[in-house]
Amino acid sequence: MPHFIDLGVNVDHVATLRQARRGQEPDPITAASLAEQGGADGITFHLREDRRHISDRDVELFVQTVQVRTNFELACAADVLAICCRVQPDWALLVPESREEVTTEGGLDVAGDSGRIADAILMLKDSGIATSLFLDPEPNQIEAAAKLKVDAVELHTGPYALARGTAVVHELGRLADTGKMIRDAGMRLHAGHGLNYVNVRPVAAIDGMAELNIGHSIVSRSVMVGMREAVAEMRRLLDSVTIAGR
């Protein structure tokens, strides 16, 4: 079945489980291969400055072995940027990073940046890597991203995922409104963070949504049913969404 929304599968939490015993299993490289078999259009991995889960070795093997698109998630740290430019993934997703956080807690502050993000984008583009920014659904952040001429913006869906009651409609409206700004500026519309098998369809149905990056819920589901089936279930959910104008 043809599909309109690309599914990027983040395998970081396979490495988190491996880190619990500081051993060699489960292997995120194997998980990436199984995700491809389940219907993933891309594999996302976050090489953190403190290397808390994904390792330099993992990054090398992802780029060498993954057959679908590779999406290298990173902060604007000089050493990690250098690795990204050397291994040449298909995409680089710039995100904020804090040593204390359990997971990414919000979007980049592009509007208030002093030039560090712009310098990182230039470095990535000079290496021929498509660039994306992880941003909160705030109009000033989208306007700032458009000035940097990035290829895509990934909207932070965490507030939507945590919302309850009428707040769900409000957060979905913010995503839709800023999604239109992204498309109107000629950038590709991506979204991710906190999406799961219950809440994903309304985000997938946003007009012009091109890609969703989902990790924790798929890895959690794979513990029960296996990686290939967990990805296939998410793939079927996205393919069931009908979007006006497509």
Side-chain angles (χ1 to χ4, degrees), residues 4 42 69 99 103-104 115 124 133 135 145 176-178 185 209 229:
F4 299 109
R69 288 192 300 275
R99 295 292 177 95
T103 184
T104 306
L124 293 165
L133 299 176
L135 302 180
D177 290 345
T178 50
M209 185 62 68
E229 178 57 27

Side-chain angles (χ1 to χ4, degrees), residues 83-164:
I83 292 171
C84 185
C85 292
R86 177 174 58 79
V87 300
Q88 294 279 294
D90 298 297
W91 281 84
L93 171 62
L94 291 173
V95 301
E97 192 174 301
S98 166
R99 295 292 177 95
E100 294 77 26
E101 67 187 5
V102 175
T103 184
T104 306
E105 296 175 346
L108 282 168
D109 182 13
V110 185
D113 184 64
S114 60
R116 191 169 58 114
I117 296 172
D119 290 344
I121 292 168
L122 182 61
M123 184 175 177
L124 293 165
K125 284 185 170 291
D126 284 347
S127 297
I129 302 168
T131 57
S132 177
L133 299 176
F134 185 70
L135 302 180
D136 292 323
E138 299 287 349
N140 65 321
Q141 298 295 345
I142 308 307
E143 291 167 358
K147 293 177 182 176
L148 294 174
K149 301 186 184 303
V150 292
D151 300 288
V153 168
E154 180 170 322
L155 289 176
H156 178 213
T157 52
Y160 161 78
L162 293 173
R164 297 293 181 268

Side-chain angles (χ1 to χ4, degrees), residues 1 3 5-11 28-44 62 65-71 90 197 210-215 218-219 227-236 238-239:
M1 176 188 294
H3 56 266
I5 302 172
D6 287 342
L7 171 59
V9 176
N10 187 319
V11 295
I29 311 304
T30 302
S33 176
L34 291 169
E36 289 185 55
Q37 295 174 36
D41 300 289
I43 300 296
T44 294
F62 283 134
T65 62
V66 167
Q67 300 300 301
V68 292
R69 288 192 300 275
T70 47
N71 183 26
D90 298 297
Y197 295 85
E211 178 175 320
L212 296 179
N213 283 298
I214 304 172
I218 289 177
V219 172
M227 179 62 77
R228 186 188 311 181
E229 178 57 27
V231 174
E233 288 178 8
M234 185 62 76
R235 175 75 274 161
R236 288 192 290 270
L238 298 191
D239 289 347

Side-chain angles (χ1 to χ4, degrees), residues 9-20 23 26-32 43-63 66 71-74 79-80 83 87 97 102 219:
V9 176
N10 187 319
V11 295
D12 288 355
H13 288 295
V14 176
T16 301
L17 185 57
R18 177 183 63 185
Q19 185 64 14
D27 185 5
I29 311 304
T30 302
I43 300 296
T44 294
F45 46 90
H46 184 175
L47 184 65
R48 287 179 172 266
E49 291 182 74
D50 60 9
R51 310 300 199 269
R52 69 175 63 168
H53 38 56
I54 295 296
S55 69
D56 293 35
R57 168 261 186 194
D58 295 331
V59 168
E60 297 276 357
L61 290 176
F62 283 134
V63 176
V66 167
N71 183 26
F72 191 137
E73 192 174 327
L74 70 159
D79 64 324
V80 183
I83 292 171
V87 300
E97 192 174 301
V102 175
V219 172

